[in-house]
Amino acid sequence: RPVREVLFFPSRPCCIEALLAEAAQPGAPARPCPCPLPSGDTALSRLVRRLLSARRSLDLCLFCFSCPQLARAVQLLHRRGVRVRLVTDAQYMGLHGSQIGRLRHAGIQVRHDQHSGYMHHKFAIVDRRMLITGSLNWTTQAIQSNRENVLVVEDAEYVKAFQDEFERIWEEYNPT
Amino acid sequence: RPVREVLFFPSRPCCIEALLAEAAQPGAPARPCPCPLPSGDTALSRLVRRLLSARRSLDLCLFCFSCPQLARAVQLLHRRGVRVRLVTDAQYMGLHGSQIGRLRHAGIQVRHDQHSGYMHHKFAIVDRRMLITGSLNWTTQAIQSNRENVLVVEDAEYVKAFQDEFERIWEEYNPT
Ligand SMILES: [Zn+2]
Ligand SMILES: [Zn+2]
């Protein structure tokens, strides 16, 4: 049965170490994390779980990306061999706390716009099959403090519309 | 067949006078608008059409609302007897160009948050039946200059999740 989920934020802060460890080494015994945060079922942990379900590709189209927890999840997927492509907004990628430089250094393909208008999308497509989209910018402030929504939609028609938009932007922002 | 639509922005600027006139007086002969803008099929005109389809209620949950064209559509619905409720963000409603004051003066019920975090949603629910949600803030700049997405979803499960979120916020922001 296709995934249909709505996540509302703010999310309680939570530890995602167990989720990351399980994704890095499935079945390995979990080491307890020393941080004081609870590891419960939250909007953030659900979002991370959806992202970590990627097996082949992850296409990201994000106005801003400064949340270290989500950046760790993306880096883990990249190390696991998932093809990650990231499109972002030029004005925001240089700001303090942006994770874009770190992801680029890790070897992830990043492209950004050249225009005065904002690249204001905030969506992800997992394995060209699952669309994750909403109002949420990928910042810790938005996750923990704002009222936000994220839809998770496994529906070929909606996914295709966003995948096509991603490919258009990816080509348009090709620097070569 | 339920509506399923994806709108991508930026939208070409367009004249929506004919749409507004038809909604105000269905079947009345159209008077040509003197403005130089084309009245074509654009992402903006499609969004306006969906809003103008409201017959009983329009629930708006908008981070910022400064687009005069969309404000005219909302005012028209209010005059036509549609029950309009609007939730917005306190920090943005006082900014230059905000349409919130004008809508409130027109008699539309408006509530806003009291918190430091942003009320960052950008969704509308038409007749408790159709959800309109995405990355788009209701500003002329976003509509004409940004890359944005809006989903139009006539699906009871998704609509209910957002309607419940709207009612929660509406009660939480009750000033009395
Ligand atoms: Zn921890
Ligand atoms: Zn005109």
Side-chain angles (χ1 to χ4, degrees):
Chain A
R1 167 173 145 72
V3 172
R4 301 159 56 84
E5 194 173 25
V6 183
L7 306 175
F8 290 110
F9 294 79
S11 174
R12 279 176 294 119
C14 68
C15 178
I16 62 164
E17 293 308 313
L19 287 178
L20 294 172
E22 172 65 22
Q25 283 200 294
R31 283 188 304 170
C33 175
C35 88
L37 294 174
S39 62
D41 181 35
T42 68
L44 174 62
S45 72
R46 285 178 178 232
L47 174 59
V48 169
R49 257 179 223 280
R50 293 302 182 198
L51 293 172
L52 291 176
S53 75
R55 290 295 169 267
R56 290 174 304 281
S57 67
L58 178 66
D59 293 320
L60 300 170
C61 200
L62 298 170
F63 176 50
C64 45
F65 189 171
S66 61
C67 172
Q69 288 180 304
L70 291 173
R72 290 192 55 208
V74 170
Q75 261 190 284
L76 190 154
L77 291 170
H78 171 66
R79 278 200 305 272
R80 217 167 60 182
V82 171
R83 184 195 185 201
V84 179
R85 294 183 293 174
L86 170 51
V87 165
T88 193
D89 184 77
Q91 283 101 322
Y92 272 71
M93 62 184 282
L95 292 197
H96 183 72
S98 173
Q99 296 289 320
I100 302 295
R102 170 180 166 180
L103 294 171
R104 196 169 241 170
H105 279 119
I108 290 172
Q109 291 179 278
V110 176
R111 293 183 183 176
H112 58 82
D113 72 313
Q114 311 285 351
H115 304 285
S116 55
Y118 289 125
M119 204 308 295
H120 199 244
H121 289 306
K122 316 104 174 32
F123 70 81
I125 306 172
V126 172
D127 291 340
R128 306 178 74 91
R129 182 185 42 82
M130 185 196 298
L131 170 65
I132 299 171
T133 189
S135 66
L136 183 78
N137 290 312
W138 286 23
T139 73
T140 303
Q141 132 85 20
I143 291 167
Q144 295 186 0
S145 308
N146 291 359
R147 284 203 176 253
E148 307 273 5
N149 64 77
V150 170
L151 284 162
V152 186
V153 181
E154 216 172 41
D155 175 295
E157 199 176 324
Y158 287 119
V159 171
K160 183 180 186 315
F162 279 77
Q163 188 74 55
D164 290 350
E165 171 77 351
F166 183 88
E167 303 297 345
R168 271 193 299 274
I169 298 177
W170 187 250
E171 282 317 310
E172 187 183 318
Y173 295 178
N174 190 340
T176 63
Chain B
R1 170 174 143 72
V3 172
R4 301 159 55 83
E5 193 173 23
V6 183
L7 306 175
F8 290 111
F9 294 79
S11 173
R12 279 176 293 120
C14 68
C15 178
I16 61 165
E17 293 308 313
L19 287 178
L20 294 172
E22 173 65 22
Q25 282 202 294
R31 282 189 304 170
C33 176
C35 88
L37 294 174
S39 63
D41 181 35
T42 67
L44 174 61
S45 72
R46 285 177 177 233
L47 174 58
V48 169
R49 256 179 224 281
R50 293 303 182 195
L51 293 172
L52 291 176
S53 75
R55 290 295 169 269
R56 290 173 303 281
S57 67
L58 178 66
D59 293 320
L60 300 170
C61 201
L62 298 170
F63 176 49
C64 45
F65 189 171
S66 61
C67 172
Q69 289 180 305
L70 292 173
R72 290 192 54 208
V74 170
Q75 261 189 282
L76 190 154
L77 291 170
H78 171 66
R79 277 200 305 272
R80 217 168 60 182
V82 171
R83 184 195 183 200
V84 179
R85 294 183 293 173
L86 170 51
V87 165
T88 192
D89 185 77
Q91 283 102 322
Y92 272 72
M93 61 183 281
L95 291 197
H96 183 71
S98 173
Q99 297 289 320
I100 302 295
R102 170 181 167 179
L103 294 170
R104 195 170 242 171
H105 279 118
I108 290 172
Q109 291 180 278
V110 176
R111 293 184 184 176
H112 57 83
D113 72 314
Q114 311 286 352
H115 305 286
S116 56
Y118 290 124
M119 203 309 295
H120 199 244
H121 289 306
K122 316 105 174 33
F123 69 82
I125 306 172
V126 172
D127 291 340
R128 305 178 76 90
R129 183 185 40 81
M130 186 195 299
L131 170 65
I132 299 172
T133 190
S135 65
L136 183 78
N137 290 312
W138 287 23
T139 73
T140 303
Q141 132 84 21
I143 290 167
Q144 295 185 0
S145 308
N146 290 0
R147 284 204 177 254
E148 307 274 5
N149 64 77
V150 170
L151 283 163
V152 186
V153 182
E154 216 172 41
D155 175 295
E157 199 176 325
Y158 287 120
V159 171
K160 182 180 187 315
F162 280 77
Q163 188 74 55
D164 290 350
E165 172 77 351
F166 183 87
E167 304 296 347
R168 270 194 300 274
I169 297 177
W170 186 251
E171 281 318 310
E172 189 183 319
Y173 295 177
N174 190 340
T176 63

Short mmCIF file of all heavy atoms in Angstrom, two decimals, chain A residues 45-72:
data_model
loop_
_atom_site.label_atom_id
_atom_site.label_comp_id
_atom_site.label_asym_id
_atom_site.label_seq_id
_atom_site.Cartn_x
_atom_site.Cartn_y
_atom_site.Cartn_z
N SER A 45 11.86 12.48 13.35
CA SER A 45 12.34 11.10 13.18
C SER A 45 11.61 10.42 12.02
O SER A 45 12.19 9.62 11.29
CB SER A 45 12.17 10.31 14.49
OG SER A 45 10.81 10.03 14.75
N ARG A 46 10.34 10.77 11.82
CA ARG A 46 9.61 10.19 10.68
C ARG A 46 10.17 10.69 9.34
O ARG A 46 10.30 9.92 8.38
CB ARG A 46 8.13 10.56 10.77
CG ARG A 46 7.42 9.75 11.83
CD ARG A 46 5.98 10.15 11.96
NE ARG A 46 5.36 9.29 12.95
CZ ARG A 46 4.23 8.60 12.76
NH1 ARG A 46 3.58 8.69 11.62
NH2 ARG A 46 3.75 7.83 13.70
N LEU A 47 10.50 11.97 9.31
CA LEU A 47 11.10 12.52 8.09
C LEU A 47 12.44 11.83 7.80
O LEU A 47 12.72 11.42 6.66
CB LEU A 47 11.29 14.04 8.26
CG LEU A 47 12.02 14.78 7.15
CD1 LEU A 47 11.32 14.61 5.80
CD2 LEU A 47 12.16 16.27 7.49
N VAL A 48 13.25 11.67 8.83
CA VAL A 48 14.56 11.02 8.66
C VAL A 48 14.39 9.58 8.18
O VAL A 48 15.08 9.12 7.27
CB VAL A 48 15.37 11.07 9.98
CG1 VAL A 48 16.59 10.17 9.92
CG2 VAL A 48 15.77 12.51 10.29
N ARG A 49 13.44 8.86 8.77
CA ARG A 49 13.16 7.48 8.35
C ARG A 49 12.82 7.39 6.86
O ARG A 49 13.29 6.50 6.15
CB ARG A 49 11.97 6.94 9.11
CG ARG A 49 12.28 6.00 10.22
CD ARG A 49 10.95 5.60 10.88
NE ARG A 49 11.08 5.61 12.32
CZ ARG A 49 11.64 4.63 13.02
NH1 ARG A 49 12.11 3.56 12.41
NH2 ARG A 49 11.74 4.71 14.33
N ARG A 50 11.98 8.32 6.40
CA ARG A 50 11.59 8.33 4.97
C ARG A 50 12.81 8.56 4.09
O ARG A 50 12.98 7.91 3.05
CB ARG A 50 10.54 9.41 4.70
CG ARG A 50 9.20 9.18 5.36
CD ARG A 50 8.58 7.87 4.94
NE ARG A 50 7.26 7.68 5.56
CZ ARG A 50 6.66 6.50 5.63
NH1 ARG A 50 7.25 5.40 5.16
NH2 ARG A 50 5.48 6.38 6.19
N LEU A 51 13.64 9.50 4.49
CA LEU A 51 14.85 9.77 3.70
C LEU A 51 15.77 8.56 3.68
O LEU A 51 16.29 8.18 2.63
CB LEU A 51 15.59 10.98 4.27
CG LEU A 51 14.86 12.32 4.16
CD1 LEU A 51 15.60 13.39 4.94
CD2 LEU A 51 14.71 12.73 2.69
N LEU A 52 15.95 7.95 4.84
CA LEU A 52 16.88 6.82 4.95
C LEU A 52 16.37 5.57 4.23
O LEU A 52 17.12 4.60 4.08
CB LEU A 52 17.16 6.50 6.42
CG LEU A 52 17.98 7.55 7.18
CD1 LEU A 52 18.09 7.18 8.65
CD2 LEU A 52 19.36 7.73 6.57
N SER A 53 15.12 5.61 3.76
CA SER A 53 14.62 4.46 3.00
C SER A 53 15.14 4.46 1.57
O SER A 53 14.92 3.50 0.82
CB SER A 53 13.08 4.47 3.00
OG SER A 53 12.58 5.47 2.13
N ALA A 54 15.87 5.51 1.17
CA ALA A 54 16.40 5.58 -0.21
C ALA A 54 17.40 4.45 -0.46
O ALA A 54 18.25 4.16 0.38
CB ALA A 54 17.07 6.93 -0.44
N ARG A 55 17.27 3.83 -1.63
CA ARG A 55 18.18 2.75 -2.00
C ARG A 55 18.99 3.09 -3.25
O ARG A 55 20.11 2.63 -3.43
CB ARG A 55 17.39 1.45 -2.28
CG ARG A 55 16.78 0.81 -1.03
CD ARG A 55 17.85 0.31 -0.06
NE ARG A 55 17.28 -0.07 1.24
CZ ARG A 55 17.19 0.76 2.28
NH1 ARG A 55 17.61 2.01 2.20
NH2 ARG A 55 16.66 0.33 3.42
N ARG A 56 18.42 3.88 -4.13
CA ARG A 56 19.11 4.18 -5.39
C ARG A 56 19.38 5.67 -5.60
O ARG A 56 20.46 6.06 -6.02
CB ARG A 56 18.30 3.64 -6.57
CG ARG A 56 18.29 2.12 -6.67
CD ARG A 56 17.36 1.63 -7.75
NE ARG A 56 16.00 2.11 -7.56
CZ ARG A 56 15.12 1.59 -6.69
NH1 ARG A 56 15.46 0.57 -5.92
NH2 ARG A 56 13.90 2.09 -6.57
N SER A 57 18.38 6.52 -5.32
CA SER A 57 18.57 7.94 -5.63
C SER A 57 17.83 8.82 -4.63
O SER A 57 16.81 8.43 -4.05
CB SER A 57 18.08 8.25 -7.05
OG SER A 57 16.68 8.10 -7.14
N LEU A 58 18.38 10.02 -4.44
CA LEU A 58 17.73 11.04 -3.62
C LEU A 58 17.93 12.37 -4.32
O LEU A 58 19.07 12.83 -4.49
CB LEU A 58 18.34 11.08 -2.21
CG LEU A 58 17.75 12.14 -1.28
CD1 LEU A 58 16.30 11.86 -0.94
CD2 LEU A 58 18.59 12.24 0.01
N ASP A 59 16.84 12.97 -4.78
CA ASP A 59 16.90 14.27 -5.45
C ASP A 59 16.33 15.32 -4.51
O ASP A 59 15.18 15.23 -4.09
CB ASP A 59 16.11 14.23 -6.77
CG ASP A 59 16.75 13.29 -7.78
OD1 ASP A 59 18.00 13.29 -7.86
OD2 ASP A 59 16.03 12.56 -8.48
N LEU A 60 17.17 16.31 -4.20
CA LEU A 60 16.80 17.33 -3.21
C LEU A 60 16.72 18.69 -3.87
O LEU A 60 17.64 19.09 -4.61
CB LEU A 60 17.86 17.38 -2.09
CG LEU A 60 18.07 16.10 -1.30
CD1 LEU A 60 19.31 16.24 -0.41
CD2 LEU A 60 16.84 15.80 -0.44
N CYS A 61 15.68 19.41 -3.60
CA CYS A 61 15.46 20.74 -4.17
C CYS A 61 15.07 21.63 -2.99
O CYS A 61 13.91 21.66 -2.59
CB CYS A 61 14.35 20.64 -5.20
SG CYS A 61 14.30 21.96 -6.40
N LEU A 62 16.07 22.33 -2.40
CA LEU A 62 15.89 22.93 -1.08
C LEU A 62 16.34 24.38 -1.05
O LEU A 62 17.51 24.67 -1.32
CB LEU A 62 16.71 22.14 -0.05
CG LEU A 62 16.30 20.68 0.15
CD1 LEU A 62 17.35 19.96 1.00
CD2 LEU A 62 14.92 20.58 0.77
N PHE A 63 15.43 25.25 -0.66
CA PHE A 63 15.73 26.68 -0.53
C PHE A 63 16.89 26.90 0.43
O PHE A 63 17.85 27.58 0.12
CB PHE A 63 14.47 27.39 -0.03
CG PHE A 63 14.63 28.84 0.26
CD1 PHE A 63 15.21 29.69 -0.66
CD2 PHE A 63 14.17 29.37 1.46
CE1 PHE A 63 15.34 31.05 -0.39
CE2 PHE A 63 14.28 30.72 1.73
CZ PHE A 63 14.87 31.56 0.81
N CYS A 64 16.81 26.31 1.62
CA CYS A 64 17.98 26.36 2.50
C CYS A 64 18.11 25.06 3.27
O CYS A 64 17.12 24.36 3.52
CB CYS A 64 17.99 27.57 3.43
SG CYS A 64 16.46 27.95 4.25
N PHE A 65 19.34 24.75 3.63
CA PHE A 65 19.65 23.45 4.22
C PHE A 65 20.74 23.70 5.26
O PHE A 65 21.92 23.72 4.94
CB PHE A 65 20.13 22.49 3.14
CG PHE A 65 20.28 21.05 3.59
CD1 PHE A 65 20.52 20.05 2.66
CD2 PHE A 65 20.16 20.68 4.91
CE1 PHE A 65 20.66 18.72 3.05
CE2 PHE A 65 20.29 19.36 5.33
CZ PHE A 65 20.54 18.38 4.38
N SER A 66 20.32 23.86 6.52
CA SER A 66 21.30 24.11 7.57
C SER A 66 21.14 23.15 8.75
O SER A 66 21.90 23.25 9.71
CB SER A 66 21.20 25.56 8.06
OG SER A 66 19.90 25.81 8.59
N CYS A 67 20.21 22.22 8.68
CA CYS A 67 20.00 21.31 9.81
C CYS A 67 21.07 20.21 9.79
O CYS A 67 21.13 19.39 8.87
CB CYS A 67 18.61 20.68 9.71
SG CYS A 67 18.35 19.37 10.93
N PRO A 68 21.93 20.16 10.81
CA PRO A 68 23.01 19.16 10.81
C PRO A 68 22.48 17.72 10.84
O PRO A 68 23.09 16.83 10.24
CB PRO A 68 23.80 19.48 12.09
CG PRO A 68 23.39 20.86 12.48
CD PRO A 68 21.99 21.04 11.99
N GLN A 69 21.37 17.49 11.53
CA GLN A 69 20.85 16.12 11.60
C GLN A 69 20.43 15.62 10.22
O GLN A 69 20.78 14.50 9.82
CB GLN A 69 19.67 16.06 12.57
CG GLN A 69 20.12 16.22 14.04
CD GLN A 69 18.93 16.15 15.00
OE1 GLN A 69 17.99 16.92 14.87
NE2 GLN A 69 19.00 15.23 15.96
N LEU A 70 19.71 16.45 9.47
CA LEU A 70 19.30 16.03 8.13
C LEU A 70 20.52 15.91 7.21
O LEU A 70 20.57 15.02 6.35
CB LEU A 70 18.27 17.01 7.56
CG LEU A 70 16.90 16.97 8.26
CD1 LEU A 70 16.00 18.08 7.74
CD2 LEU A 70 16.24 15.60 8.08
N ALA A 71 21.52 16.76 7.41
CA ALA A 71 22.74 16.67 6.59
C ALA A 71 23.46 15.35 6.85
O ALA A 71 24.00 14.73 5.92
CB ALA A 71 23.66 17.85 6.88
N ARG A 72 23.46 14.89 8.09
CA ARG A 72 24.10 13.60 8.39
C ARG A 72 23.37 12.46 7.70
O ARG A 72 23.99 11.53 7.19
CB ARG A 72 24.16 13.37 9.90
CG ARG A 72 25.16 14.33 10.57
CD ARG A 72 25.44 13.92 12.00
NE ARG A 72 25.89 12.55 12.10
CZ ARG A 72 25.70 11.78 13.17
NH1 ARG A 72 25.05 12.27 14.20
NH2 ARG A 72 26.16 10.55 13.18
#
